[in-house]
Amino acid sequence: MITFFLVGLTVHVVFFLSIFDIYFTSPLVHGMTPQATSLAPPASRLVLVVADGLRADSLFTLLPNGSSRAPYLRSVLEEKGTWGVSHTRVPTESRPGHVALIAGFYEDVSAVAKGWKENPVEFDSVFNESRHTWSWGSPDILPMFAKGASGDHVYTYTYPAQEEDFASTDASRLDSWVFSQVKSFFQLAKSNSSLRASLLEDKNVFFLHLLGIDTNGHAHRPMSQEYLDNIGLVDTGVAELVSIVEDFFDYDGRTAYVFTSDHGMTNWGSHGAGHPSETLTPLIVWGAGVHNAQRVTEPQPYNDGYLQDWNLEHLRRVDVGQADIAPLMASLIGVPIPVNSVGVLPLPYLNNTDLFKAENMYTNAIQVLEQFKMKMTQKKETTLSFRSFFAALHSLLKLPFYLLNALPFISPYQISLCQSLISYSLEGLVYYHTYDRFFLGCSVVLGFVGWTSYVVLVILKTHASLNRHPSLLKQVRLCMCVTVVITVFLLIQRSPVTYYIYCLLPVPIWYSVLKESGMVTDLIHSAPSLPLWKCFVYFVLVAFGIELLVVSFFHRAMLTVGLAILSIWPFMSGLFGKAKFRSLSWFLGCLFLALFPLMPVVGREPNIHLVTCAGLLTLFTSVCYLWSSRQRTPLHLSDRQQFVTQVTTVHMFHVAVCAYVPSLTHSSLQQKQGLPLLNQIISWITLGSSMLVPLLSSTRIFHRLLSIFLSLTATYLLLSTGSEALFPPVLSWLMFVWINIEQEAMLAQGVSGRQELSTIDFSANIDIAKIRQLKLDDIRRSYFFVFFIITAFFGTGNIASINSFDPASVYCFLTVFNPFIMGGLMMWKVIIPFIIVMCTFETIQVTGCELQTIINFNSISHSSPQHFFFLVQDYGSWLDIGTSISHYVIVMSMTIFLMLLSVVTHILTSQRLILWRRPKLHFP
């Protein structure tokens, strides 16, 4: 069993890691030559101001009295600049947004493993191509561009990371610090000759990263007065900045200004997904080489209604992709476009000659084409049977030479052709970037199908009356030949080492399946013994159940449908007549739990009162559990004292405290008094003890379950901000009923005798001789388990969307921005319902073994659920076939989580790992 578990874990981990080779590989290629124009640029310097977290509507929307909260920027776009909306891409986070703005490509997603801070792959940027770049702002953003720059010409000035505190009294002071530093910098330059000389050179960039708006948005929401006032502060700072810069350079008219944002923010203060409030950011460009405001009388080609909402329908709007800003800035100051840029130069912003526009567009086309050619060359050298991109692009490969000879004469036509060339080149980049995706995907699916088949055969071999002797090993030669062919194929293609693992791993898996071909034959021969109508009914039920789970990955409301169907199970199976109270409890529990998938995943306003109510519900539920258990099986005096001391005095008091801490914390933050130290200490102690305290409880099933439930719920309350806090108590209620109603189902099968949960000690050895064969009820129980696991996963939030979680959820633990700790806490919040379901399923197995009616899971490690668990897991792994990338990632992640949680469950319910062992109490 240990070997079986380790092999299964290895298979799932390997195929989980395959996601990064299939979907999350870096799109960057290296070795291209930077492309620049020979014409003189219109600007000698560029000032880039990025207001982190600023929404387009927050800046452009007028106040009720018709004035603007950003009067200076409003006057710029109405008189002397060109404006538009910059469209960002998912993930709408700070680092990906800045990389798109400054480097011109959309972030390599592998950067998420480094918290969006470090450079997983070195890349070129406008800062790198500039002569000098001076930057001020956040320590999370500026260093990554300095590290990636060649030479020492990128200078950064940052405040301490501890200043990024969501609980600060006024986050706008971060922006005030930046403007103050810039002002001091130019004052210093007036008396520092060497610095002044550097500033007077051309191709310089000044970058201001303003984090105050984003921090205030997280802490107070974008509609708050703090957020809106911060916009006014930034507007005033930009006006003063322009005055300082123009005064320093004697109003030479050689400075270009770009004001934009890296991403927006939802109404509930988060970002990361693709909601328009996150992807639509403002863009205002003015100064040297930029068109002045252009008034229009005809309708503009935008049907989103924003022009009317912002009272800007009379001014020309020019929307761009976020990556298009990088070639725009490069063209304005005459530096090479970053070699990895995929942006397209937005010509309507440029106020210059047709020749200048044509040559810059030509340079942009060559720069993108060079990436395509390099990508194609690399793939061709490492591919045995190379499939070229479609012929239309090859016909355009000669286009640059033609344009080079005819450049001065047909610039308007050249611009059109260059845009076509860029479009085809970008399609080609995507084509070669995903060249191996189908091949690797097939290998992974083949491996999963093989592993699923093998696990099914192992379970049938162990628990069914089928042929248990492996067939002759005729398949050895076949598998060896397949291995040699795959290895030679990958060697010729010079594939990475990981490709060998993904392609060769299915070979031993399918060899193990083929070894049991005799059992498959035996299974086929036994199939006619089943009535045809029963086979059809079973097939329809299984197909419906699987499809219901698959659809729930796309529409959470399907879980409500499933729970409604599950609620009538006791009535359909005849259990209602034998256990009316438990059947009604099951019915009501399913219906109450069915309400949560109908609640919105995102956009929930914090309601701390519901967290307090959840704490009270948890205490009430626990009291009901205790009363129910005491009524059925009174405890001995010594055991009662121990149990009451631990549960009532420790756990319940702890839950009561944790129900009050979020209210106290959020009240303190609203009053801008910061995170109370005592609350923070209580929160971290609760988190640390949530896994330790249950190990100190009795090994009686009921005692241990209640200890686990209360410990985990206490942590969950600290991580909650609203209605999701009610989810664990309702889920635990249903799980407790599930355990009891399964006992009734076992008794209905003719098993004599009954043991109450409070009398079952799961640390006791189970007689292996009492194992029975598989029955249809085992399939039902496994399906219930998978269904409840998915419900636990999607019940209150969807991890596929980064902004499904309110950052306020972690305010009881910390308020200073830290992506790894915050992400870890949110992940633990997601896992807690998993553990509750896992422990419930473990309990059902243990109680079933005590009644001699369930497959024994204790043959190796005292009530370890791995054996049947693998069948359930691989049943779930079928769900990823035919789904999108995000759901593929979800299913794989869930598989890994469930396997690791099976270990956690075993620890929580294992007598051998108890730190303090009490003497067993035996009951008659």
Side-chain angles (χ1 to χ4, degrees), residues 323-335:
D324 300 340
I325 299 176
L328 173 62
M329 294 190 296
S331 299
L332 288 173
I333 59 175
V335 300

Side-chain angles (χ1 to χ4, degrees), residues 569-570 573 575 579 582-583 586 734-749 751 754-755 757 772 776-785 788 840-841 843-848 851 853-854:
W569 163 60
S573 61
L575 290 175
R582 293 182 179 183
S583 298
W586 170 271
L734 182 59
M735 294 297 99
F736 181 78
V737 175
W738 185 26
I739 296 171
N740 285 275
I741 206 168
E742 284 291 353
Q743 286 189 306
E744 297 294 341
M746 295 169 193
L747 293 174
Q749 295 176 357
V751 179
R754 176 190 180 86
Q755 282 187 286
L757 296 181
R772 65 159 177 79
L776 287 177
D777 252 11
D778 298 317
I779 299 177
R780 178 197 43 87
R781 292 187 188 99
S782 66
Y783 181 81
F784 279 15
F785 171 68
F788 287 133
T840 300
F841 192 63
T843 301
I844 291 173
Q845 310 315 314
V846 173
T847 56
L851 292 173
T853 58
I854 293 291

Side-chain angles (χ1 to χ4, degrees), residues 707-756:
S707 178
I708 292 172
F709 164 56
L710 292 175
S711 297
L712 295 179
T713 302
T715 304
Y716 200 93
L717 291 174
L718 295 172
L719 292 168
S720 300
T721 61
S723 60
E724 77 273 19
L726 298 169
F727 185 73
V730 175
L731 178 65
S732 300
W733 170 27
L734 182 59
M735 294 297 99
F736 181 78
V737 175
W738 185 26
I739 296 171
N740 285 275
I741 206 168
E742 284 291 353
Q743 286 189 306
E744 297 294 341
M746 295 169 193
L747 293 174
Q749 295 176 357
V751 179
S752 59
R754 176 190 180 86
Q755 282 187 286
E756 296 296 338

Side-chain angles (χ1 to χ4, degrees), residues 563-595:
L563 286 167
I565 295 174
L566 293 186
S567 68
I568 63 174
W569 163 60
F571 305 95
M572 301 296 294
S573 61
L575 290 175
F576 178 73
K578 302 176 181 178
K580 291 184 173 58
F581 178 76
R582 293 182 179 183
S583 298
L584 289 175
S585 298
W586 170 271
F587 177 76
L588 294 176
C590 287
L591 293 185
F592 279 122
L593 193 65
L595 297 176

Side-chain angles (χ1 to χ4, degrees), residues 798-811:
N798 182 355
I799 200 173
S801 176
I802 298 175
N803 73 351
S804 296
F805 305 101
D806 190 343
S809 298
V810 300
Y811 285 173

